[in-house]
Amino acid sequence: MLLPFQNLPGRFEGEEPASVCLKSSGFFFKFLSANETGATGSHQAGFYIHRDAYWLFMPEPGKKGENQYRDVAIHWPEGTVTDSRFRWYGKGTRSEYRLTQGFHFLGEENTGDLLVLARLEESVFQGFLLSREESIESFLQELGLNPSDSGKAYGIQNGEIQLPGLQYSAEDQFESTLQDALREYLEPDAPFPAADRLARLAREQCEIYFRTGSLNLDEKLLRWIDMEYRIFRWLELRKYSHYLSQGFSTMEDMIQLSLTILNRRKSRAGYGLELHLAALFESAGVTFASQARTEGNKKPDFLFPSQDAYSNPDFPASRLTFLGVKTTCKDRWRQILSEADRIPEKHLFTLQQGISSAQLREMAEADVQLVIPRPYHRLFPESFRKQLMSLEGFVDYVRSKDSQEMLFR
Amino acid sequence: MLLPFQNLPGRFEGEEPASVCLKSSGFFFKFLSANETGATGSHQAGFYIHRDAYWLFMPEPGKKGENQYRDVAIHWPEGTVTDSRFRWYGKGTRSEYRLTQGFHFLGEENTGDLLVLARLEESVFQGFLLSREESIESFLQELGLNPSDSGKAYGIQNGEIQLPGLQYSAEDQFESTLQDALREYLEPDAPFPAADRLARLAREQCEIYFRTGSLNLDEKLLRWIDMEYRIFRWLELRKYSHYLSQGFSTMEDMIQLSLTILNRRKSRAGYGLELHLAALFESAGVTFASQARTEGNKKPDFLFPSQDAYSNPDFPASRLTFLGVKTTCKDRWRQILSEADRIPEKHLFTLQQGISSAQLREMAEADVQLVIPRPYHRLFPESFRKQLMSLEGFVDYVRSKDSQEMLFR
């Protein structure tokens, strides 16, 4: 018997997560931590939701001394619906929000997956669970968001994503400082500023608003990244507003402008991170080479202490360090394994929040040492946390090799 | 010494090929054939350019009995410039255009790469050589073009891509037939028609314009695909024109509409091809299962003769056939190897035009049998051509197993 070809099954032709979020009245995304996927046995407790995100689920914040809940329906791309519950625990010493019930389909292997919830109407959401690195990065890049925005809720007002405010009610000062600093780029025909110009500006702004000088390296980096995204978005809006209001005479004109914007968001995402890491290493007095060449013209993100040291067979391999950089880290981490034959242990920095035990085991077997911003360590399976390195720890590690190098000279 | 982090080298921050083409006054793209990359020893002769594409390089077509040329400069993303020559050979029995000189950097391993030339001004082009499957597919999908458009030149008029005309000056009839057939989808709030609806319409239109009933399967499929892309583009333009002229109040509104358009182009590209293949097999009376399930929930594109036969251990494995489908085929073909353990030989259909000898050898070693539309066979390295299967050949092969199956019953 012939199958009717009109009904090839198994093809999801619905909208992509980024489109759905932009059409919604607000959305939320979050990397699933090891605790939340049951890796630590506390599976029943559901997802922790940051207090700033309550408004997406409830009209009023929860009251101290009370427990409250709201039923919410979550529609998934396969056509299924989950009846879930948004809960406020305010009794006793507790004060936290959680999204519970209906997530029994999640397992430990979903650690590090990205949960996306877009509000279609009050208490009704479209949900997505993104497992592949490519899907996660597309989602973040298309919306111009970064992994460290995980756990926040975003309003959509007049079709524009509303970033949660800066601290210290510094909005006015932010506006006027940027107007000054980026004046030349606001002219209609001026190009977008180079990546390193924006990255530097972000660090300067952070110093003003957050006194980042006194923070540890891990916290400092996260502030820099967040600030750069804010500046980037601020500039995008101002540079393109006049094109938008005048409309387009053809579809390809619109597609062309959109591709310019989308492709820049994409290419800047990883590059900004590398620039900030380079600035961090420089400020810590650590010598390095970025985009150096190794065997077969491979280009590791960072080599320590230098390209010359790596190329010099007399320089002891034990004093070389490799650092790969990936904004997210799910299925493509193996790419770094062949990028520097002289350095068997590969360090890998990522903003990925949570990785499954199975992947962590594979990485350990491949001699990959993860470098993770300290505030994200708690999102990893408990038994693996002590094997994670912080940025501070990594810089100390490289410094200790540097001092060996001094002795060696 | 510290490297200045302001100048991380090796990062191309220029525009993507699709954006550059849309901004140009016309562009050209072409899969490099084995002949053109020197695999057959005729390297000096440069690239063959189809006669319909002359206008991108020369103001007038070449004259019979004369040889002519124009110097053209091609700028590459790395900042280099190639001084090349567009030639018309009209003497004696010859009449052909070629782009020659300056391509000595190409080698046999570039077979199947996509060459893109976008005209910035008269005789000045921006060139791209895309090697990775991901880059090639992004380019084609972002522009809503398909691999079988390779070798054509596209004008940009008023910011809109101009497709080369239909044969038989059938434009007016095309317009009115589509107006009738797609009337319900042209309403402002109507959804885009489902993929199988468009695919079926494309086949019906082909029957009207090209009497495809009399063509062989290989040619028929290429006509269907081309027609579907024309209809798709026709509908896109009509559905979205009113949004464009009225402008957007916010940037994310524009991005959201663009993402809807771009994501649909992307998801439809491979799906349309599968639908047409299914229709082809059905019309040839061959039984098959599409998106059937095999080991580990893998989903091969096509299994012959059926899911039941595959799942039944008593059905002889030698009478099962596997067919994977990929619009392009460079680095991701290995994915099919694990999709059906019972069938060691994997057939793979692709619209990729030209594959390097090294990759063809690897595929043969992995027991992959390529199925390639007959008109593309000449673009492959000569020594491998006799190992390629056409669609006609593939259908005969499956039919012969079908008749074995009859005997077996």
Side-chain angles (χ1 to χ4, degrees), chain A residues 8 11 158 250 258 274 290, chain B residues 8 11 158 250 258 274 290:
Chain A
L8 292 190
R11 285 306 183 114
N158 305 320
T250 69
S258 299
E274 280 177 54
S290 58
Chain B
L8 292 190
R11 284 307 183 112
N158 305 320
T250 69
S258 298
E274 280 176 55
S290 58

Side-chain angles (χ1 to χ4, degrees), chain A residues 5 8 11 13 16 23 158-160 203 244 248 250 252 256 258 263 265 268 274 282 290, chain B residues 5 8 11 13 16 23 158-160 203 244 248 250 252 256 258 263 265 268 274 282 290:
Chain A
F5 64 80
L8 292 190
R11 285 306 183 114
E13 264 218 272
E16 300 280 322
K23 280 185 194 166
N158 305 320
E160 211 63 71
R203 293 192 293 272
L244 303 173
F248 297 91
T250 69
E252 301 302 342
Q256 186 251 302
S258 299
N263 287 331
R265 287 180 179 178
R268 288 293 172 92
E274 280 177 54
E282 183 159 316
S290 58
Chain B
F5 65 81
L8 292 190
R11 284 307 183 112
E13 263 218 272
E16 300 279 321
K23 280 186 193 165
N158 305 320
E160 211 62 72
R203 293 192 292 272
L244 304 173
F248 297 91
T250 69
E252 301 302 343
Q256 186 251 303
S258 298
N263 287 331
R265 287 180 180 178
R268 288 293 172 92
E274 280 176 55
E282 183 158 317
S290 58

Side-chain angles (χ1 to χ4, degrees), chain A residues 1-13 15-16 18-20 22-23 134 138 142-143 157-161 193-196 200 203 233 236-237 240-241 243-268 270-271 274-275 278-279 281-282 285-291 293 299 301-302 305 332, chain B residues 1-13 15-16 18-20 22-23 134 138 142-143 157-161 193-196 200 203 233 236-237 240-241 243-268 270-271 274-275 278-279 281-282 285-291 293 299 301-302 305 332:
Chain A
M1 199 206 66
L2 296 177
L3 285 181
F5 64 80
Q6 285 83 354
N7 293 305
L8 292 190
R11 285 306 183 114
F12 164 54
E13 264 218 272
E15 294 233 49
E16 300 280 322
S19 294
V20 174
L22 287 174
K23 280 185 194 166
E134 203 181 321
S138 287
E142 285 170 0
L143 295 178
Q157 270 176 29
N158 305 320
E160 211 63 71
I161 296 178
D196 66 287
R200 212 165 350 109
R203 293 192 293 272
R233 180 171 293 273
E236 262 190 342
L237 280 173
Y240 297 113
S241 56
Y243 288 104
L244 303 173
S245 52
Q246 73 194 25
F248 297 91
S249 53
T250 69
M251 188 166 69
E252 301 302 342
D253 278 351
M254 177 191 72
I255 296 285
Q256 186 251 302
L257 179 62
S258 299
L259 281 176
T260 298
I261 293 170
L262 290 167
N263 287 331
R264 186 186 297 114
R265 287 180 179 178
K266 197 168 168 173
S267 69
R268 288 293 172 92
Y271 192 26
E274 280 177 54
L275 287 166
F281 297 141
E282 183 159 316
V286 167
T287 61
F288 64 91
S290 58
Q291 301 280 319
R293 300 293 169 123
K299 287 185 284 187
D301 295 311
F302 290 99
R332 288 182 297 194
Chain B
M1 199 206 67
L2 296 177
L3 285 181
F5 65 81
Q6 285 82 354
N7 294 305
L8 292 190
R11 284 307 183 112
F12 165 54
E13 263 218 272
E15 294 233 49
E16 300 279 321
S19 293
V20 173
L22 287 174
K23 280 186 193 165
E134 202 181 322
S138 287
E142 285 170 0
L143 295 178
Q157 270 175 29
N158 305 320
E160 211 62 72
I161 296 178
D196 66 287
R200 213 166 349 111
R203 293 192 292 272
R233 180 171 293 273
E236 262 190 343
L237 280 173
Y240 297 112
S241 56
Y243 288 105
L244 304 173
S245 52
Q246 73 194 27
F248 297 91
S249 53
T250 69
M251 188 166 70
E252 301 302 343
D253 277 352
M254 177 190 73
I255 296 285
Q256 186 251 303
L257 179 61
S258 298
L259 281 176
T260 298
I261 293 170
L262 290 167
N263 287 331
R264 186 187 297 115
R265 287 180 180 178
K266 197 167 170 175
S267 69
R268 288 293 172 92
Y271 192 27
E274 280 176 55
L275 287 166
F281 296 141
E282 183 158 317
V286 167
T287 60
F288 64 91
S290 58
Q291 301 281 318
R293 301 292 169 122
K299 287 186 284 186
D301 294 311
F302 291 99
R332 289 182 297 194

Side-chain angles (χ1 to χ4, degrees), chain A residues 5-6 8 11 13, chain B residues 143-149 152 154 163-164 166 174 178 182 192-207 209-210 212 219-238 263-280 325 327 351:
Chain A
F5 64 80
Q6 285 83 354
L8 292 190
R11 285 306 183 114
E13 264 218 272
Chain B
L143 295 178
L145 298 170
N146 89 78
S148 67
D149 292 326
K152 295 180 187 160
Y154 295 85
L163 294 186
L166 289 173
F174 182 73
L178 291 190
L182 296 172
F192 216 82
D196 66 287
R197 175 78 189 81
L198 274 194
R200 213 166 349 111
L201 183 62
R203 293 192 292 272
E204 290 161 9
Q205 293 294 305
C206 278
E207 186 49 39
Y209 293 110
F210 306 116
T212 36
E219 285 166 347
K220 199 186 276 189
L221 183 82
L222 294 179
R223 297 280 184 161
W224 286 352
I225 294 168
D226 182 61
M227 181 60 83
E228 182 172 344
Y229 272 84
R230 284 175 190 276
I231 297 175
F232 187 88
R233 180 171 293 273
W234 181 92
L235 186 60
E236 262 190 343
L237 280 173
R238 277 153 193 80
N263 287 331
R264 186 187 297 115
R265 287 180 180 178
K266 197 167 170 175
S267 69
R268 288 293 172 92
Y271 192 27
L273 177 57
E274 280 176 55
L275 287 166
H276 289 308
L277 282 168
L280 205 74
V325 179
T327 48
L351 296 173

Side-chain angles (χ1 to χ4, degrees), chain A residues 213-231:
Chain A
S214 62
L215 295 177
N216 68 40
L217 298 182
D218 295 67
E219 285 166 348
K220 198 187 275 188
L221 183 83
L222 294 180
R223 296 280 185 162
W224 286 352
I225 295 168
D226 182 60
M227 181 61 83
E228 182 172 345
Y229 272 83
R230 283 175 191 275
I231 297 175

